[in-house]
Amino acid sequence: MSISVFEHPVLRGLFGQDEIASLFSFAEDLRLMLEYEAGLVLAKGDAGLLPPASAERIAAICRDFQPDIERLKADTTRDGVVIPGLVGQLRNAVGGSGAEYVHTGATSQDVVDTAMALRLARAGALFHDRLGELDKALDRLVGDFGQNPIKARTRMQAAQAMPASNRLESWRGIVNANTERLSAWLQQMPVLSFGGAIGALDALGEQGPEVKGHLARHLGCKVTGNWHSNRHLFVDFANICSAISGSLGKIGQDIALMAQNEIDEIALAGAGGSSAMAHKRNPVAAEILVSLARFNATQVSGMHHALVHEQERSGSAWSLEWMLLPPMTACAAASLDTARRVLGDVERIGKR
Amino acid sequence: MSISVFEHPVLRGLFGQDEIASLFSFAEDLRLMLEYEAGLVLAKGDAGLLPPASAERIAAICRDFQPDIERLKADTTRDGVVIPGLVGQLRNAVGGSGAEYVHTGATSQDVVDTAMALRLARAGALFHDRLGELDKALDRLVGDFGQNPIKARTRMQAAQAMPASNRLESWRGIVNANTERLSAWLQQMPVLSFGGAIGALDALGEQGPEVKGHLARHLGCKVTGNWHSNRHLFVDFANICSAISGSLGKIGQDIALMAQNEIDEIALAGAGGSSAMAHKRNPVAAEILVSLARFNATQVSGMHHALVHEQERSGSAWSLEWMLLPPMTACAAASLDTARRVLGDVERIGKR
Amino acid sequence: MSISVFEHPVLRGLFGQDEIASLFSFAEDLRLMLEYEAGLVLAKGDAGLLPPASAERIAAICRDFQPDIERLKADTTRDGVVIPGLVGQLRNAVGGSGAEYVHTGATSQDVVDTAMALRLARAGALFHDRLGELDKALDRLVGDFGQNPIKARTRMQAAQAMPASNRLESWRGIVNANTERLSAWLQQMPVLSFGGAIGALDALGEQGPEVKGHLARHLGCKVTGNWHSNRHLFVDFANICSAISGSLGKIGQDIALMAQNEIDEIALAGAGGSSAMAHKRNPVAAEILVSLARFNATQVSGMHHALVHEQERSGSAWSLEWMLLPPMTACAAASLDTARRVLGDVERIGKR
Amino acid sequence: MSISVFEHPVLRGLFGQDEIASLFSFAEDLRLMLEYEAGLVLAKGDAGLLPPASAERIAAICRDFQPDIERLKADTTRDGVVIPGLVGQLRNAVGGSGAEYVHTGATSQDVVDTAMALRLARAGALFHDRLGELDKALDRLVGDFGQNPIKARTRMQAAQAMPASNRLESWRGIVNANTERLSAWLQQMPVLSFGGAIGALDALGEQGPEVKGHLARHLGCKVTGNWHSNRHLFVDFANICSAISGSLGKIGQDIALMAQNEIDEIALAGAGGSSAMAHKRNPVAAEILVSLARFNATQVSGMHHALVHEQERSGSAWSLEWMLLPPMTACAAASLDTARRVLGDVERIGKR
């Protein structure tokens, strides 16, 4: 399959990231959704809505459940979301009077959003690590080449000589600005969604909040108010993905400009070959950083449009998020990995 | 894999299109790139640059070639494009003095762009057929329900009664406006790219234009000037994809508004169920049409940014196209198929 | 005022265009809206709905009408569109039984859209002329410098030497591709809107089409079906504006890259000075071409979102067009003027 | 002038905001730029680079300076930025040996960015106040109508009855999420830019940091590292502007849906009239909220593209910010004001 460059059998060397592909695999999504359903039954057990042993038994069935994927696909096409079909199959598997404890009190969006929040939080943690690696890669470059003179350039014109460390430190500042924003976001994540049909957490009566607390604990999530139509945390993540790609796109653009033959202020191992000109050494990874930046800068707009999330829950704005968030995450991850690679490939900064 | 909703094992019932997945499969891409290389050798044979029998022999090797995919992926990661690695493997397979006839005179972008142009033209032809089907689906609706009164609505307020045919004919006009634009585009497509390293068609000397003509014939392509940095035809296609999705998003939005309980101006078979509210009949397909419209309206911006295609050939702007064109095509195809489905599901327009 | 760079007292030297400022001045908008109302009364006279002399008298009042702007602003704030307030004032001015002939049969959107169509068509004609001037400017450069060698560059790396004419002709191809698209669009423009309250052209009974024909003639417009919710021609224009800016952004980017000190493949008169570095010669106009390209590539997305134009007439999608079309037009005009200026400033292409 | 709806003589009742127009007037921009130049001379005096009395004298000249606007416009067109021309005129006005103290040590971008930062911070403070007003407006609605039943709606279908307060509180959560993000941003603002030609703060030797501290104090700015190419704080602001407009667009969309005739879950004073249908009561302000949301969701993409800010200072990415930030600010302000107005116009929520 290869509509997406992030999953293309050949191009994924340029764009793909195995960790992100795993994170957004349906297997992982399914695992988390079933974990939610299991956690919800356990939470009801904790709150005394059913005997703990029954809750354990049903939760185990949830966790091990392997749905009929073709039926799930057909049901999803009709329902617009995977949960009604999945819960139907799951309740059949649980059977008897236990089936009523499955999912009851939640709604599709609770499960899907929580599974997304859990994955975005893990992607964010990965980004955090990778930003730290870039900081270290810049340490190396400052140490090895920081004293070499390069030309400061403004408005595409040579301004005056400066040590390479000036530019490297400006890169570092731009990279680390993302770390700050990401850390603030991570502190609020992952967040549980558990509002039920209309977000009012009313199906379980007075025990709703207690069940919610237990469910959050089982899933390792934070508790907050209902956010069915409050998409700020997802938009914040999109902003961060795009800011990461944009920041590293700036570095990529700088490197591609430094690598121009007549300017030659950088030497890169692993530059790309041409099918028509054997002598060429193309700064491929640097160029890809620019492509990734422009990709995410394009996508981020769609996530802002998805803020217009009508009424209690929107089908169309919500589905739009599914179209945008995984590629944006994959793109930011690719930016980080490509930047690590290109900084690692630097053999020289400054004139020969 | 499921970063992309268009290739998601479960969500592709909502978003995916088998024809488009085939079109953008790497198998098909590879087949077309090898067809290009085969055609180029044949064209050189036609022009007398090598004996026809040799050309046939080499072309057959090209067509049947099965590359080492892992090596191809590694080389592509380094080179930023699949062709240098593929041509290297292919020349090895041809061996001997014949190898020099493979690819020589072309550049990576020629092959990749032509393979993209061929696929976009086929997608465009598919769109053309599907737009025609929508026109017919509207015929049925006009015939069955056109005389039923519905409320004309402006600025979200009831204006006055009108026959449903008024709205249906306005939908038809919006649908068919795409057919016109698409037809004009299809007349220029598919277009051959054959400019060589710097677009000057100079590697084959005076025989360049003749070889180009033969190559175009072998591939069923039209001949035009060098378009390595002239991306108008691809941007036009992106505009059309987005206009199709946008037009059908308008219809989807209208249907979702008509399907509101209190308004009840449409009845749809196959409406979606809810995991929390058994009574609900959600207009899922109509909502997805809106999501698809906003997705493509978002993406089209990136293709316009890719017009800033520096110098003779840009790595970054070009790679950005690869990220955007296949999902935009898949999205437009999904819009067309979903619209066909939702119009087919209409059981009533006008009041009960 | 200076929220908009296109109207900024100082920055408009970089971004502003007097012709476009005039075109989108409220004075001109008002003139065209009154011209529409005058033409409609005359058309009714032509169709025998009122005596020709009365029609002439009322039309003259319409044309000379000077509304109370403060009241108009207050009414517009309430109504979301200028026409209800304007027509109210105008009917008062006409007075008596003649007042009923003013505007009746039309709706606000008819007047506003036609006034926009007339202005966009004039902007398009201006673009057409300016594209022709760029073609001539490229003639001069080909004549003066076409034989000078420059480096062909691909993926930001020097590829091989070529005559400057190669690049100049590729620029010309990109410029002229816009002329083709614009010409096709101009042939459909300007188009009359005259559908009345719900687009059905029903308020004037059987005489509607006849009045429509006369009105089109008075305004110099083409006749087409109702397009209240069919926004393709406006989106096409946005696509063209962005393609123009994008094409010229490519040229600007190329020039900025050629002007780099070490590369020095172009010399420009009129380069910009720095407040901190007296020696600098910044390729300001070339940079602005890139800014303008990215601006319009950003805006075009919004116009595609505006295709989701619900029901018979949308308030929100329609108002969005007002926010986007004038700046996009101004931006494309600035691109054309800036490109003319920078091509005129070229003192040398190729090495010193 | 009326390319921009935000400055249109008639439409600015719908889109315009006097406070924002003042903030982005050239008069205010000029005042702040001159304040910067005055502050810089004073800061040099504080650091002992010139006698305090001389510094006071020159600073006074700076503050009172009235440039020749036509010359400034011409110089700006050449230089791409207002400062070289302005400083030239200013130095002439100061004359003699004092002239060398004007601007020296700073660069154009320092002055322009600081003046922008000061204005964005003031806009942010205005937004903060207005978000607080919305919170109070929601108090009134909850108090007056919170117990009225309305239908909860999901995926555009009626779900179940709920008290209106549920929806109002979800609106409040969405509104207040912006307040949090804005508060965090305001704590870092306004930030001083003072890096000199290449951002290294080197022109004043060892006294650079001391002068920077004094300058920040004079301007009421915070001190940070050089941010010539680090555009995160401006992109953050753009994100916030768009999130505000998007959040209020969600409320606008909800209100427009509630105001549909058959649904009638809200009554609004001040609804708009139609030129063709006297009975209509259009929810104009609610629709405009949706338009504003989509406008800013479109623009935000361009600010993310501007992160690709090449080398020490970019002309093209920087100029793009000037094109986008003022309209985005104006749009967010209009969203806030329009939301206040529409919430104030609510005469009833829930069924009649």
Side-chain angles (χ1 to χ4, degrees):
Chain A
M1 290 187 284
S2 30
I3 289 171
S4 166
V5 292
F6 302 113
E7 301 174 283
H8 189 286
V10 170
L11 294 178
R12 77 167 193 268
L14 286 168
F15 299 100
Q17 296 291 299
D18 289 345
E19 293 92 332
I20 301 300
S22 299
L23 204 58
F24 290 115
S25 69
F26 182 61
E28 182 60 14
D29 191 8
L30 181 64
R31 191 185 71 75
L32 291 168
M33 293 190 292
L34 293 172
E35 197 65 46
Y36 187 104
E37 299 295 356
L40 177 52
V41 175
L42 291 175
K44 289 174 183 172
D46 297 339
L49 296 177
L50 78 167
S54 304
E56 288 287 357
R57 185 186 64 83
I58 298 171
I61 295 172
C62 291
R63 284 190 180 122
D64 295 341
F65 187 65
Q66 303 204 356
D68 174 334
I69 296 290
E70 277 311 300
R71 251 181 62 211
L72 205 53
K73 181 179 157 225
D75 289 352
T76 301
T77 306
R78 182 194 61 221
D79 299 333
V81 56
V82 71
I83 299 298
L86 180 63
V87 166
Q89 291 191 34
L90 192 54
R91 282 178 173 156
N92 277 345
V94 170
S97 62
E100 76 191 81
Y101 294 103
V102 173
H103 188 72
T104 309
T107 194
S108 295
Q109 193 170 346
D110 288 328
V111 188
V112 170
D113 276 356
T114 302
M116 182 66 90
L118 283 162
R119 288 178 291 166
L120 297 186
R122 278 160 54 193
L126 177 74
F127 295 173
H128 195 273
D129 290 349
R130 290 189 178 180
L131 287 164
E133 288 169 23
L134 293 184
D135 192 62
K136 290 207 189 86
L138 289 166
D139 281 344
R140 177 184 79 87
L141 297 183
V142 170
D144 289 358
F145 312 116
Q147 299 312 310
N148 289 3
I150 64 169
K151 287 264 177 62
R153 292 171 198 272
T154 60
R155 303 197 78 127
M156 300 284 286
Q157 286 288 295
Q160 58 184 66
M162 67 175 183
S165 58
N166 281 28
R167 183 169 290 171
L168 291 166
E169 293 300 346
S170 82
W171 289 356
R172 190 200 300 274
I174 292 167
V175 166
N176 289 348
N178 292 292
T179 311
E180 284 172 43
R181 283 150 181 81
L182 184 58
S183 299
W185 181 82
L186 281 169
Q187 285 182 351
Q188 306 170 73
M189 292 291 293
V191 64
L192 175 69
S193 182
F194 183 57
I198 62 164
L201 190 54
D202 51 1
L204 302 177
E206 291 188 359
Q207 282 172 297
E210 184 186 353
V211 171
K212 185 174 179 178
H214 290 304
L215 174 55
R217 180 173 43 78
H218 286 295
L219 297 174
C221 284
K222 294 188 169 56
V223 172
T224 182
N226 172 51
W227 50 283
H228 285 166
S229 64
N230 180 340
R231 315 309 291 172
H232 275 94
L233 280 171
F234 282 8
V235 172
D236 289 344
F237 185 73
N239 291 339
I240 290 170
C241 285
S242 177
I244 288 173
S245 295
S247 300
L248 302 179
K250 180 263 188 293
I251 295 178
Q253 184 67 276
D254 282 356
I255 290 174
L257 289 167
M258 294 167 86
Q260 291 172 103
N261 308 65
E262 292 87 344
I263 290 183
D264 187 29
E265 290 186 333
I266 200 165
L268 295 167
S274 155
S275 74
M277 293 170 285
H279 66 281
K280 286 193 67 195
R281 308 287 289 157
N282 296 324
V284 168
E287 291 177 294
I288 292 293
L289 284 174
V290 177
S291 309
L292 294 166
R294 303 229 173 266
F295 180 81
N296 260 352
T298 299
Q299 307 306 311
V300 75
S301 172
M303 284 299 299
H304 282 254
H305 281 285
L307 284 169
V308 184
H309 198 102
E310 77 275 0
Q311 301 172 333
E312 274 53 69
R313 292 191 278 118
S314 165
S316 60
W318 189 37
S319 306
L320 181 58
E321 294 177 357
W322 309 343
M323 303 180 82
L324 297 169
L325 281 172
M328 291 193 76
T329 308
C331 178
S335 294
L336 287 160
D337 193 43
T338 306
R340 182 192 53 69
R341 197 149 52 85
V342 76
L343 294 184
D345 279 347
V346 173
E347 296 178 334
R348 168 181 51 84
I349 294 184
K351 282 304 214 182
R352 217 177 290 270
Chain B
M1 289 186 286
S2 32
I3 288 171
S4 167
V5 292
F6 302 113
E7 301 174 283
H8 188 286
V10 169
L11 295 178
R12 77 167 193 268
L14 286 168
F15 299 101
Q17 296 290 300
D18 289 345
E19 294 91 331
I20 302 301
S22 299
L23 204 58
F24 290 114
S25 69
F26 182 60
E28 182 61 13
D29 191 8
L30 181 64
R31 190 184 72 74
L32 291 168
M33 293 190 292
L34 292 172
E35 198 65 44
Y36 187 104
E37 299 295 356
L40 178 53
V41 175
L42 292 175
K44 288 175 185 171
D46 297 339
L49 296 178
L50 78 168
S54 305
E56 288 287 356
R57 185 186 63 83
I58 299 171
I61 295 172
C62 290
R63 284 189 178 123
D64 294 341
F65 187 64
Q66 302 204 357
D68 174 334
I69 296 288
E70 277 311 299
R71 251 180 62 209
L72 204 54
K73 182 179 156 225
D75 289 351
T76 300
T77 307
R78 181 195 61 221
D79 300 332
V81 56
V82 71
I83 299 298
L86 180 63
V87 166
Q89 291 191 34
L90 191 55
R91 282 179 173 155
N92 277 344
V94 170
S97 62
E100 76 192 81
Y101 294 102
V102 174
H103 188 72
T104 308
T107 194
S108 295
Q109 193 170 346
D110 288 328
V111 187
V112 170
D113 276 357
T114 302
M116 182 66 91
L118 284 162
R119 287 178 292 166
L120 298 186
R122 277 160 55 195
L126 177 73
F127 295 174
H128 196 272
D129 290 349
R130 290 189 178 181
L131 288 164
E133 289 169 23
L134 293 184
D135 192 61
K136 289 207 189 85
L138 289 166
D139 280 344
R140 176 184 80 87
L141 297 183
V142 170
D144 289 357
F145 312 115
Q147 299 311 312
N148 290 2
I150 64 169
K151 288 265 178 61
R153 292 170 197 274
T154 61
R155 303 196 79 126
M156 299 284 285
Q157 287 288 294
Q160 59 185 65
M162 68 175 182
S165 58
N166 281 27
R167 184 169 289 171
L168 292 166
E169 293 300 346
S170 82
W171 289 356
R172 189 199 301 273
I174 292 167
V175 167
N176 289 347
N178 292 293
T179 312
E180 283 171 43
R181 283 150 182 80
L182 184 56
S183 298
W185 180 81
L186 280 169
Q187 284 182 351
Q188 307 170 72
M189 292 291 290
V191 63
L192 175 70
S193 181
F194 184 56
I198 62 165
L201 189 54
D202 51 359
L204 301 178
E206 291 188 357
Q207 283 171 295
E210 184 186 352
V211 171
K212 186 173 178 180
H214 290 304
L215 175 55
R217 181 172 44 80
H218 284 295
L219 297 174
C221 284
K222 294 187 169 57
V223 172
T224 182
N226 171 51
W227 51 283
H228 285 165
S229 64
N230 179 341
R231 315 308 291 172
H232 277 93
L233 280 171
F234 282 9
V235 172
D236 288 344
F237 185 73
N239 290 339
I240 290 170
C241 285
S242 177
I244 288 173
S245 295
S247 300
L248 301 179
K250 179 264 188 291
I251 295 178
Q253 185 68 70
D254 282 357
I255 291 174
L257 290 166
M258 294 166 87
Q260 291 172 102
N261 309 65
E262 292 87 344
I263 290 183
D264 187 29
E265 290 186 332
I266 200 166
L268 295 167
S274 155
S275 75
M277 292 169 286
H279 66 281
K280 287 192 66 196
R281 308 286 291 156
N282 296 324
V284 168
E287 291 178 294
I288 292 293
L289 285 174
V290 177
S291 309
L292 294 167
R294 302 227 175 268
F295 180 79
N296 260 352
T298 298
Q299 308 305 313
V300 75
S301 172
M303 283 299 299
H304 282 255
H305 281 285
L307 284 169
V308 185
H309 199 102
E310 77 276 359
Q311 301 171 334
E312 274 53 69
R313 293 191 277 117
S314 165
S316 60
W318 189 37
S319 306
L320 182 58
E321 294 178 356
W322 309 343
M323 304 179 81
L324 297 169
L325 281 173
M328 291 193 78
T329 308
C331 178
S335 294
L336 287 161
D337 193 43
T338 306
R340 183 191 53 70
R341 197 149 53 85
V342 77
L343 294 185
D345 278 347
V346 172
E347 297 178 334
R348 170 180 50 83
I349 294 185
K351 281 304 214 182
R352 217 177 290 269
Chain C
M1 289 186 285
S2 32
I3 288 172
S4 167
V5 291
F6 302 113
E7 300 174 284
H8 188 286
V10 170
L11 294 179
R12 77 167 193 269
L14 285 169
F15 298 101
Q17 296 290 298
D18 288 346
E19 294 91 331
I20 301 299
S22 299
L23 204 58
F24 290 113
S25 69
F26 182 62
E28 181 60 13
D29 190 10
L30 181 63
R31 190 185 70 76
L32 290 169
M33 293 189 292
L34 293 171
E35 197 64 45
Y36 186 104
E37 300 293 358
L40 177 54
V41 175
L42 291 175
K44 289 174 182 171
D46 297 336
L49 296 178
L50 78 167
S54 306
E56 287 286 359
R57 185 187 63 82
I58 299 171
I61 295 172
C62 290
R63 285 192 179 120
D64 294 342
F65 186 65
Q66 302 203 358
D68 173 335
I69 297 288
E70 278 311 301
R71 249 181 63 210
L72 204 54
K73 181 178 157 226
D75 289 351
T76 300
T77 307
R78 181 195 61 220
D79 299 332
V81 56
V82 71
I83 298 298
L86 180 63
V87 166
Q89 291 191 34
L90 192 54
R91 282 179 172 154
N92 277 345
V94 170
S97 62
E100 77 191 78
Y101 293 103
V102 173
H103 188 72
T104 308
T107 194
S108 296
Q109 192 170 346
D110 288 327
V111 187
V112 169
D113 276 356
T114 302
M116 182 65 90
L118 284 161
R119 288 178 290 165
L120 297 187
R122 277 160 54 194
L126 177 73
F127 294 174
H128 195 273
D129 290 349
R130 289 190 179 181
L131 287 165
E133 288 169 22
L134 293 184
D135 191 61
K136 289 207 190 85
L138 288 167
D139 281 344
R140 175 184 80 87
L141 297 183
V142 170
D144 288 359
F145 311 115
Q147 299 312 310
N148 289 4
I150 64 168
K151 287 266 178 61
R153 293 170 197 272
T154 61
R155 303 197 79 127
M156 299 283 285
Q157 287 288 296
Q160 58 185 63
M162 66 175 184
S165 58
N166 281 27
R167 183 169 287 171
L168 292 166
E169 293 300 345
S170 82
W171 290 356
R172 189 200 301 272
I174 292 167
V175 166
N176 288 348
N178 292 292
T179 312
E180 284 172 43
R181 283 151 181 79
L182 184 56
S183 298
W185 181 81
L186 281 169
Q187 284 182 351
Q188 307 169 74
M189 293 290 293
V191 63
L192 174 69
S193 183
F194 183 56
I198 63 165
L201 188 54
D202 52 0
L204 302 178
E206 290 187 359
Q207 283 172 298
E210 185 186 351
V211 171
K212 186 173 178 177
H214 291 303
L215 175 55
R217 182 174 42 82
H218 285 295
L219 297 173
C221 284
K222 295 189 168 55
V223 172
T224 183
N226 172 50
W227 51 283
H228 286 167
S229 64
N230 181 341
R231 315 307 291 171
H232 277 93
L233 280 170
F234 282 10
V235 172
D236 289 343
F237 185 72
N239 290 338
I240 290 169
C241 284
S242 177
I244 288 172
S245 295
S247 301
L248 302 179
K250 182 262 188 291
I251 296 178
Q253 185 68 68
D254 282 355
I255 291 174
L257 289 167
M258 293 165 86
Q260 291 172 101
N261 308 65
E262 292 87 343
I263 289 182
D264 187 30
E265 290 186 333
I266 201 166
L268 296 166
S274 156
S275 74
M277 294 168 284
H279 65 282
K280 285 192 69 197
R281 307 287 287 157
N282 296 323
V284 168
E287 291 178 294
I288 293 292
L289 284 174
V290 177
S291 309
L292 294 167
R294 303 226 174 270
F295 180 80
N296 261 352
T298 299
Q299 308 305 313
V300 75
S301 172
M303 283 299 298
H304 282 254
H305 280 285
L307 284 169
V308 185
H309 198 101
E310 77 276 357
Q311 302 172 333
E312 274 53 69
R313 292 191 279 116
S314 166
S316 59
W318 189 38
S319 306
L320 181 58
E321 293 177 357
W322 308 343
M323 303 180 82
L324 296 170
L325 281 171
M328 290 193 78
T329 308
C331 177
S335 293
L336 287 160
D337 193 42
T338 306
R340 184 192 53 69
R341 194 150 53 85
V342 76
L343 293 184
D345 278 349
V346 173
E347 296 178 335
R348 167 179 52 83
I349 294 185
K351 282 303 213 181
R352 217 177 289 270
Chain D
M1 289 187 285
S2 31
I3 289 171
S4 168
V5 292
F6 302 112
E7 300 173 285
H8 188 286
V10 170
L11 295 178
R12 78 166 193 270
L14 286 168
F15 299 102
Q17 296 291 300
D18 288 345
E19 294 91 330
I20 301 299
S22 299
L23 205 57
F24 290 114
S25 69
F26 182 61
E28 181 60 14
D29 190 10
L30 181 64
R31 190 184 71 75
L32 290 168
M33 293 189 292
L34 292 172
E35 197 64 44
Y36 186 104
E37 300 295 356
L40 178 53
V41 175
L42 291 176
K44 289 174 184 171
D46 297 336
L49 296 178
L50 78 168
S54 305
E56 288 287 357
R57 184 187 62 83
I58 298 172
I61 295 172
C62 290
R63 285 191 178 120
D64 295 341
F65 186 65
Q66 302 203 358
D68 173 334
I69 296 289
E70 278 311 302
R71 249 180 63 209
L72 204 54
K73 181 177 157 230
D75 289 352
T76 300
T77 307
R78 181 195 62 221
D79 299 333
V81 55
V82 71
I83 298 298
L86 179 64
V87 166
Q89 291 190 35
L90 192 54
R91 283 178 173 156
N92 276 345
V94 170
S97 62
E100 76 191 81
Y101 294 103
V102 173
H103 187 73
T104 307
T107 193
S108 295
Q109 192 170 346
D110 288 328
V111 188
V112 170
D113 276 356
T114 302
M116 181 64 89
L118 285 161
R119 288 178 291 165
L120 297 186
R122 278 160 55 193
L126 178 73
F127 295 173
H128 196 273
D129 290 349
R130 290 189 178 182
L131 287 165
E133 289 169 23
L134 292 184
D135 192 61
K136 289 207 190 84
L138 288 166
D139 280 345
R140 176 185 79 87
L141 297 182
V142 170
D144 288 359
F145 312 115
Q147 300 312 310
N148 290 3
I150 63 168
K151 287 265 177 61
R153 292 171 198 272
T154 60
R155 301 197 80 127
M156 299 283 286
Q157 286 288 295
Q160 58 185 64
M162 67 175 183
S165 57
N166 281 27
R167 184 169 288 171
L168 292 166
E169 293 300 345
S170 82
W171 290 355
R172 189 200 301 274
I174 292 167
V175 167
N176 288 349
N178 292 293
T179 312
E180 284 172 43
R181 283 151 182 79
L182 184 57
S183 299
W185 180 82
L186 281 169
Q187 284 182 351
Q188 308 169 73
M189 293 288 294
V191 63
L192 174 69
S193 182
F194 183 56
I198 63 165
L201 188 54
D202 52 0
L204 302 178
E206 291 186 359
Q207 283 173 295
E210 184 185 352
V211 171
K212 185 173 178 179
H214 290 304
L215 174 55
R217 182 174 43 81
H218 285 295
L219 297 173
C221 284
K222 295 189 169 56
V223 171
T224 184
N226 171 51
W227 51 283
H228 285 168
S229 64
N230 180 342
R231 315 307 291 172
H232 276 93
L233 280 170
F234 282 9
V235 172
D236 289 344
F237 185 73
N239 290 339
I240 290 170
C241 285
S242 177
I244 288 173
S245 295
S247 301
L248 303 178
K250 181 262 188 291
I251 295 178
Q253 183 67 276
D254 282 356
I255 291 174
L257 289 166
M258 294 166 86
Q260 291 172 102
N261 307 65
E262 292 87 343
I263 289 182
D264 186 29
E265 290 187 334
I266 201 166
L268 296 166
S274 156
S275 74
M277 294 168 285
H279 65 280
K280 286 192 70 196
R281 307 287 288 157
N282 295 324
V284 167
E287 291 177 294
I288 292 293
L289 284 174
V290 177
S291 310
L292 294 166
R294 301 225 175 270
F295 180 80
N296 260 351
T298 299
Q299 308 305 313
V300 75
S301 172
M303 283 299 297
H304 282 255
H305 281 285
L307 283 169
V308 185
H309 198 102
E310 78 275 359
Q311 301 172 335
E312 273 55 68
R313 292 191 278 118
S314 166
S316 59
W318 190 38
S319 306
L320 181 58
E321 294 176 357
W322 307 345
M323 304 180 82
L324 296 169
L325 281 172
M328 289 194 78
T329 308
C331 177
S335 293
L336 287 160
D337 193 42
T338 306
R340 183 192 53 68
R341 196 149 52 84
V342 76
L343 294 184
D345 279 348
V346 173
E347 296 179 334
R348 168 181 51 84
I349 294 185
K351 282 303 213 181
R352 217 177 289 271

